[in-house]
Amino acid sequence: MSAFKPLVFSGVQPTGNLHLGNYLGAIKKFVALQEQSDCIYCVVDLHSLTAQLVHQDLGDQTRSITAAFLASGIDPKKHIVFNQSRVIQHAELAWIFNCVARIGWMYRMTQFKDKAGKDRENASLGLLAYPSLMAADILLYRATHVPVGEDQKQHLELTRDIAQKFNNDFSEKIAALGVGVEMQVGEETVNGYFPITEPVIGGPAARIMSLRDGSKKMSKSDPSDLSRINLTDDADTISKKIRKAKTDPEALPSEIDGLESRPEAENLVGIYAGLAEISKEDVLKEYGGQQFSVFKPALADLAVEKLAPIASEMRRIEGDRAYVDAVLKDGGDRARAIAEGTMKTVRDIIGLLQD
């Protein structure tokens, strides 16, 4: 094998309504990437169990995320859209990666520290091992690129560490089986079965903050619905939330440096830039010196123009439950075919007996 085939993988948890941050930070990128690369997009339902084992509506939440993918423009015929639990190889490879990763690596994960809080001894083992399953999600398909937000960069670094350790530990066996790609690790040449996956980060709206507090990330779990724009919000609701978004009394600056120490202003400018697909600098060229009484209505009109059709299409797709289930089944079958091939090779590499 001379090189890894370019492939994009990403996943979204089926917990709560998707919001503007999910759209600009992830789904919009998914749609753009499918024009350039083969893509696999996954509703990671197993991950949703790490924080809460019992869900009354996990199936419907999974369908809702799938509907958002499709309504935003992801093509399930050209690419693969499926839910993680349909492909049992995710869990199998995660167990192997649990044996590759070091406990110290896991304890360093910032998200574990944040979510477990002071009562770490009472956190689930799944919460601690979450990044190992994420690594398995990605490397099961030997994905070369993953679109990630700032909060997932550390987990992707761990995915790279796991891939590199596996490749180092089994380099000779990988070479003997003829299933690897030569890669340089420091001054050493290693035969790697797994790629060292690269992040896809960027754009003017890589991280969307709360409409009520520019220092906090926009979140599904925020108790205030005014803190976020849900993808299911109608035009009136979108406009209302932007009108009520927290701002400061100053006019918008003409230069990007003027947004420093103004988190709410920077957030709204970033949202406009992300929706309009222009830079923050271009937004300020047009609206610099203007008051928020002028900028907010323009932002509301733009948000309604871009998001209201997605909300309408989501509702239509969610209403056709049989279609959504068929998309997930077809995607699961196609994903499983790839996963079975990967795991057969992994079992050969580590020496597990198999049929």
Side-chain angles (χ1 to χ4, degrees), residues 210 224 312:
S210 165
S224 172
S312 176

Side-chain angles (χ1 to χ4, degrees), residues 66-209:
T66 305
F69 284 172
L70 304 180
S72 299
I74 291 173
D75 187 337
K77 294 181 179 178
K78 292 182 179 178
H79 305 280
I80 294 176
V81 177
F82 76 109
N83 59 300
Q84 179 188 29
S85 60
R86 288 177 185 267
V87 181
I88 60 173
Q89 288 81 4
H90 284 258
E92 181 182 2
L93 186 57
W95 172 252
I96 292 169
F97 284 170
N98 283 346
C99 300
V100 173
R102 308 291 92 177
I103 291 175
W105 297 0
M106 298 301 185
Y107 276 123
R108 285 195 292 272
M109 296 294 106
T110 302
Q111 278 206 11
F112 173 73
K113 295 176 185 177
D114 291 345
K115 291 182 178 179
K118 295 180 180 179
D119 193 17
R120 290 187 198 173
E121 297 301 316
N122 202 35
S124 75
L125 180 59
L127 185 62
L128 179 64
Y130 169 102
S132 182
L133 177 57
M134 179 175 165
D137 298 335
I138 296 165
L139 296 175
L140 184 59
Y141 305 98
R142 301 207 291 168
T144 56
H145 294 84
V146 174
V148 291
E150 292 289 331
D151 58 331
Q152 291 292 334
K153 282 176 65 177
Q154 191 183 32
H155 287 171
L156 188 59
E157 284 297 323
L158 184 115
T159 296
R160 290 162 59 89
D161 290 342
I162 289 173
Q164 186 164 304
K165 189 174 190 316
F166 184 96
N167 292 339
N168 289 347
D169 290 350
F170 294 102
S171 179
E172 292 185 7
K173 188 68 175 289
I174 291 168
L177 291 170
V179 294
V181 172
E182 285 193 354
M183 53 180 66
Q184 202 69 24
V185 180
E187 297 182 358
E188 185 179 359
T189 299
V190 171
N191 293 283
Y193 181 65
F194 291 116
I196 309 302
T197 308
E198 295 289 339
V200 180
I201 302 172
R207 186 175 175 86
I208 302 298
M209 312 306 282

